[in-house]
């Protein structure tokens, strides 16, 4: 039974008429949807209100004069120490890091998942278990060996260095989901290609790669979210020429001049969160299909 | 013909070698991100930029994050050019690993030994005859900041002693004001600061050092310290709901606004009052001690800057230039006025200093008045753990003063 | 399979079928192993380097250093169990351990229950399924820090939900879990569930739809009510899917760090401290030996879990080949 093909069609029992049960289901779903949307609403509303409205009103009140001033401030003039340039200094750096680290980490994990599924060798399962175990470890524990290793090869504090760090820490989960995905594909595809004489790379490029769009979308969203929002690694490993936007975000949000400037903080938060959100909205359906396929085999 | 060419080449090389070295960019890491702190660090940056080199700001919010980042970058071989630290043991590993620029030649040339005072400020930087850092200010921690308006709302005068304040607490609460303002962020360092001052108030300057410097367990487990813990607990009961995880400057903002009556915080809070345009004596009161009528001692901390060895002669020149700049009289005056701290030298024009600062400097000048804070004697692992103990005491209803004291003694016993 | 048997046998036959399919997959895996391995080894060289170089060596270092007195730079001054003794005598650590069990159980339990409920309801051929799914999943694209910040505002006693509801008339409404040590963890559970339950739902929904659709006819014929079918028949058939969901949730729980920092800073007091924050604070405060001891203690239960899973798999393998 090919799960990938079955992925999105509902398979539950056929619906009856609009019974009390159906109303109940919709009610539950709508209430849940509200629970999920509320924080987003609060974020947006707060970012468009001046501080006195926030202080005097409540978080759900609509802004009297909605304004994007705080968005502009968060972007270009909020103070992050001595410099008052908002989030913008680090934006391009975040882009650089993400654009490089996302494909690198995904490509490697894809190859790993493929190999672990179809081309196992002695010790490969053990290595995979080590990898999964590594997923549970708090980053700081492993930061020291990585610092040493990178500084030995002269990559500490450089763009390639931070890309390597993201690749290392993304490997466990990404390999897991790719492996699961490939395991859900019909093995006949693989066997047929072997019969045709294709080898490791041949099958990968010609057959597996084209089929893996759904799971790749999942991986992209995971990595874009993780890498774009990363703060600690960027701070230590990227080098002061490549500090990501999250460093400015941290400074803006953590401190204030007088009172906590929720308006600016929320605006800054939205601006930072926009990139992964946009990626998610653009890729929605494939994302779900990918999770479906990447998750079934435990 | 050849002679002319040689002559020209010679002249050119002379011109080149006698020209100025290249201007350098210095990346400076610090954790001064609040409004008042920003104004202060801008002084350094502006003065430095005026010399032709460039200050590249590397602000990282929250001291612990900044320090950890600097350490990790130092480990990896890519440290910043300069970094802020607190005087004491925070950077001892950097010294022993040989990662810091030795400032001794510069110090001797400019005579730092002579004008940097008092000795307790020199000692964290001048170790075994070598200068490893430059002290830039003296912060006094044992202050309380009170809102005149808030006390007036409860029909009270600003208190001048602890007993008076403790009696005022319920009345302030009834008047709808937050009686005691404190913030619990950063693992509880503000609470620790408060606890230290309470212990100081109980034991006095001469004795209190024995606890953190000499690890005197009897004192640590004694009745005076217990009383300090009990006071801490009662103060906690008069703090507000938003207190946990709040930064020190947001807490000061409550006092500035008049929503809270009093905050125990170091003199860096003064910068916030200044930025808000408030005047001491009129809008707010500064109470040294804290709340000790005739304060004879100051608990000091402060900030220092270390410079990391970089393999570039231009950068090194710029680093030494910055170090020298940080302690020259003009910069010291401007920086410390903005920051609310005391300068590290006497010959500084403090006409812009307000009454609070002048009060503190007078006490500072008295011999035997300086009590360095625990950072001086204990390492960061100790202070982190200590912060957790005090933070737990004030926020956890189930923790008793006696239990917290037992933990404190245990921590001290095992401290390195 | 021959003609479909009738009655209650139908249901159990379908369940058994799923088990056989599982076993066949395992023996297929063994056959695959005979194929040429070298290109595979080369292709997975980065994984080998990372797994061995970073994780194996790094984790060994962790354990070794936990027996030393390392401060900032690793040293090999061995001190026996000293770090562990200090660890378990420190209230902050002991509390962290309690917290993570409570938080973990709450977070995983709530996510599984809510995720399953949502998945079941989504499976009912409702209209607007895509819209609902988009809404349930988007929080996942927001980082832990953003989640923490937003929820911190929403749960703030003065600015947040509590104040809003009170201003609408219910003046006794109390909902500010972060303000008190006893309830702060609950606030965190709510926030992190909001962030991640969409993924759990999506995984469980996929598993639901991977189940043989014949089961519905079969259980109808057998007269079993729908909710029973979901709970007692379909859910066990989705074992693998549930396992994946649990693993992802577990990883999230064990790594709980960002959301603590963003929401509560570990407070009030130490009431939301987690083992991960303790480890990181120790290392940042240049007490590396101590931090490594804490990390080792964190990893032991995970190791046990993984060994259990490996043993479980081995047993399932043996049973499959026996058929």
């Amino acid at each position: 039974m090919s799960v990938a093909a079955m992925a999105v069609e509902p398979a539950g029992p056929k619906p009856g008429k609009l019974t009390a049960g159906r109303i109940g289901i919709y009610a539950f779903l709508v209430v849940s949807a509200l629970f999920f949307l509320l924080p987003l609403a609060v974020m947006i509303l707060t970012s468009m209100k001046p501080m006195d409205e926030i202080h005097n009103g409540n978080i759900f009140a609509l802004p009297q004069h909605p304004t994007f001033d705080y968005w502009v401030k968060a972007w270009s003039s909020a103070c992050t120490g001595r410099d008052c340039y908002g989030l913008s200094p680090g934006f391009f750096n975040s882009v650089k890091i993400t654009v490089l680290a996302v494909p690198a980490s995904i490509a490697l994990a894809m190859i790993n998942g493929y190999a672990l599924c179809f081309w196992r060798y002695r010790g490969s399962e053990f290595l995979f278990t080590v990898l999964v175990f590594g997923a549970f470890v708090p980053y700081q524990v492993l930061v020291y060996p990585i610092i040493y290793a990178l500084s030995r090869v002269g990559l500490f504090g450089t763009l390639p260095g931070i890309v390597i760090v993201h690749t290392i820490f993304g490997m466990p989960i990404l390999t897991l989901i790719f492996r699961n995905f490939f395991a859900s594909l019909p093995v006949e595809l693989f066997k047929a290609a072997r019969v045709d004489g294709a080898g490791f790379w041949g099958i990968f490029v010609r057959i597996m790669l084209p089929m893996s769009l759904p799971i790749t979308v999942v991986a992209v969203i995971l990595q874009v979210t993780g890498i774009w929002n990363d703060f600690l690694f960027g701070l230590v490993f990227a080098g002061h020429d490549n500090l990501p936007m999250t460093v400015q975000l941290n400074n803006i949000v953590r401190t204030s001049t007088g009172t906590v400037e929720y308006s600016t903080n929320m605006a800054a938060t939205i601006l930072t969160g926009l990139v992964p959100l946009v990626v998610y909205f653009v890729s929605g359906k494939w994302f779900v299909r990918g999770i479906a396929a990447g998750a079934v085999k435990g | 013909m050849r002679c002319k060419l040689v002559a020209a080449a010679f002249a050119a090389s002379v011109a080149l070698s006698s020209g100025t070295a290249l201007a350098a960019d210095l990346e400076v890491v610090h954790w001064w991100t609040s409004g008042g702190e920003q104004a202060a660090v801008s002084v350094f940056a502006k003065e430095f930029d005026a010399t032709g080199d460039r200050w590249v700001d590397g602000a990282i919010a929250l001291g612990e994050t900044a320090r950890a980042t600097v350490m990790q970058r130092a480990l990896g071989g890519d440290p910043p050019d300069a970094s802020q630290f607190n005087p004491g043991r925070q950077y001892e590993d950097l010294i022993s690993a040989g990662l810091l620029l030795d400032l001794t030649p510069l110090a001797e040339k400019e005579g730092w030994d002579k004008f940097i005072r008092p000795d307790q400020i020199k000692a964290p930087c001048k170790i075994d005859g070598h200068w490893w850092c430059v002290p830039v200010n003296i912060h006094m921690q044992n202050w309380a900041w009170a809102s005149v308006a808030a006390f007036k709302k409860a029909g009270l005068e600003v208190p001048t002693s602890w007993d008076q304040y403790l009696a005022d607490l319920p009345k302030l609460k009834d008047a709808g004001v937050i009686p005691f303002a404190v913030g619990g962020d950063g693992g509880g360092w503000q609470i620790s600061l408060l606890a230290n001052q309470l212990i100081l108030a109980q034991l006095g300057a001469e004795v209190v050092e024995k606890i953190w410097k000499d690890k005197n367990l009897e004192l640590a487990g004694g009745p005076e310290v217990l009383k300090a813990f009990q006071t801490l607990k009662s103060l906690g009961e008069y703090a507000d709901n938003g207190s946990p995880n709040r930064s020190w400057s947001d807490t000061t903002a409550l006092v500035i606004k008049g929503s809270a009556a009093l905050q125990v915080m170091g003199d860096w809070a003064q910068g916030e009052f200044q930025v808000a345009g408030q005047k001491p004596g009129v809008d707010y009161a500064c109470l040294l001690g804290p709340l000790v009528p005739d304060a004879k001692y100051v608990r000091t901390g402060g900030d220092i800057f270390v410079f990391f060895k970089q393999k570039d002669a231009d950068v090194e020149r710029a680093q030494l230039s910055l170090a020298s700049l940080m302690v020259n009289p003009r910069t010291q005056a401007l920086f410390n006025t903005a920051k609310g701290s005391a300068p590290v030298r006497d010959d500084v024009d403090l006409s812009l200093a307000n009454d609070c600062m002048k009060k503190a400097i007078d006490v500072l000048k008295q011999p035997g008045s300086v009590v360095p804070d625990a950072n001086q004697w204990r390492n960061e692992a100790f202070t982190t753990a200590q912060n957790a103990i005090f933070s737990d005491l004030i926020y956890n209803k189930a923790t008793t003063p006696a239990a917290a004291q037992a933990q404190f003694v245990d921590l001290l016993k095992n401290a390195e | 399979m021959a003609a479909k048997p009738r009655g209650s046998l139908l249901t159990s036959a379908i369940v058994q079928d799923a088990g056989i399919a599982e076993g066949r997959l395992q023996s297929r895996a063994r056959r695959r192993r005979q194929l040429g391995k070298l290109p595979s080894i080369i292709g997975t060289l980065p994984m080998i380097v990372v797994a061995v170089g970073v994780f194996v060596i790094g984790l060994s270092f962790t354990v070794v250093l936990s027996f030393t007195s390392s401060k900032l730079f690793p040293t090999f001054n061995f001190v026996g169990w000293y770090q562990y003794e200090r660890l378990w005598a420190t209230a902050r650590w002991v509390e962290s351990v309690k917290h993570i069990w409570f938080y973990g159980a709450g977070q995983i339990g709530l996510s599984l229950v809510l995720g399953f409920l949502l998945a079941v309801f989504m499976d009912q051929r409702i209209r607007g399924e895509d819209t609902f799914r988009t809404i349930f999943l988007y929080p996942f694209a927001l980082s832990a820090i953003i989640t923490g910040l937003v929820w911190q505002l929403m749960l703030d006693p003065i600015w947040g939900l509590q104040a809003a509801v009170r201003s609408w008339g219910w003046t006794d409404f109390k909902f500010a879990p972060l303000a008190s040590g006893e309830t702060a963890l609950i606030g965190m559970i709510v926030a992190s569930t909001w962030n991640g339950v969409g993924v759990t739902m999506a995984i469980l929904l996929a598993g639901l739809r991977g189940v043989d659709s014949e089961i519905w006819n079969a259980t109808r014929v057998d007269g079993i009510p729908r909710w029973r079918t979901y709970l007692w028949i379909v859910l066990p058939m989705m074992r693998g899917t549930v396992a994946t969901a649990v693993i992802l949730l577990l990883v999230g729980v064990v790594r709980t760090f960002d959301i603590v920092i963003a929401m509560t800073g570990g407070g009030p007091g130490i009431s939301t401290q987690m083992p991960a924050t303790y480890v990181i604070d120790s290392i940042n405060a240049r007490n590396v030996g101590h931090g490594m001891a804490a990390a080792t203690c964190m990893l032991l239960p995970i190791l046990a879990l993984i060994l259990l899973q490996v043993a479980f798999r081995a047993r399932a393998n043996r049973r499959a080949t026996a058929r």
Side-chain angles (χ1 to χ4, degrees), chain C residues 13 63 87 136 154 163 183 191 226 254 284 310 316:
Chain C
V63 177
L87 193 65
F136 294 148
M154 290 192 42
T183 54
R226 212 181 297 161
V254 171
N284 283 349
V310 167

Side-chain angles (χ1 to χ4, degrees), chain B residues 67-68 71-72 75 90 93-94 97 99 241-242 244-245 379-381 384 388 391-392 395 397 407 410-411 414 416, chain C residues 71-73 82 86 89 91-92 152 157 178-180 182 261-265 268-270 281 283-287:
Chain B
R67 290 191 290 270
M71 289 303 194
Q72 284 167 0
L75 260 181
Q90 287 175 354
D93 297 299
L94 295 175
L99 294 171
N241 255 352
N245 208 25
N379 62 20
E380 188 147 8
T384 308
S391 183
D392 181 48
Y395 288 120
K397 296 196 185 69
Q407 280 187 47
D410 184 58
L411 177 67
N414 290 288
E416 284 138 27
Chain C
K71 292 286 151 214
L72 169 63
F73 301 101
Y82 174 72
R86 292 297 313 135
R92 196 181 146 198
Q152 188 195 40
L178 298 182
S180 148
E182 288 124 28
I261 301 299
M263 273 187 98
T264 62
I270 54 172
D281 282 347
I283 295 182
N284 283 349
R286 273 96 63 204
N287 198 358

Side-chain angles (χ1 to χ4, degrees), chain B residues 7 51 117 125 135 162 248 251 285 305 402 413:
Chain B
T51 67
R117 58 91 184 102
C125 282
W162 268 114
W248 71 264
T251 312
F305 275 84
K413 189 162 90 166

Side-chain angles (χ1 to χ4, degrees), chain A residues 58-72:
Chain A
N58 68 57
I59 49 173
F60 299 117
L62 293 173
Q64 285 168 2
H65 304 283
T67 166
F68 280 104
D69 283 350
Y70 296 101
W71 292 50
V72 174

Side-chain angles (χ1 to χ4, degrees), chain A residues 191-256:
Chain A
K191 281 165 70 175
R194 284 292 295 166
V195 162
D196 283 348
F200 181 85
W201 294 106
I203 299 181
F204 178 67
V205 172
R206 268 179 276 139
I207 299 182
M208 296 304 164
L209 202 49
M211 292 198 69
S212 55
L213 181 61
I215 194 67
T216 307
V217 167
V218 176
V220 166
I221 291 185
L222 264 175
Q223 285 303 82
V224 168
T225 308
I227 295 175
W228 181 263
N229 287 299
D230 160 68
F231 167 65
L232 288 173
F233 289 152
L235 195 53
V236 174
F237 290 101
H240 73 261
D241 288 330
N242 302 314
L243 287 176
M245 203 164 87
T246 40
V247 175
Q248 281 93 42
L249 176 69
N250 180 62
N251 287 359
I252 292 176
V253 164
R254 283 223 169 277
T255 55
S256 48

Side-chain angles (χ1 to χ4, degrees), chain C residues 52 69 148 152 156 195 225 229 257 264 277 282 297:
Chain C
V52 174
S69 64
Q152 188 195 40
D156 188 282
N195 183 262
T229 312
F257 167 71
T264 62
T277 56
S282 295
C297 287

Side-chain angles (χ1 to χ4, degrees), chain A residues 15-38:
Chain A
K17 305 221 186 75
L18 196 64
T19 61
R22 293 295 288 177
I23 296 181
I25 290 175
Y26 278 104
F28 182 78
L29 288 174
V30 168
V31 168
S32 304
L34 275 177
F35 168 66
F36 281 92
L37 285 174
L38 223 49

Side-chain angles (χ1 to χ4, degrees), chain C residues 220-232:
Chain C
R220 209 164 7 108
V221 165
D222 286 349
I224 306 176
R226 212 181 297 161
W227 66 269
R228 270 246 182 98
T229 312
Y230 272 116
L231 266 184
W232 301 123

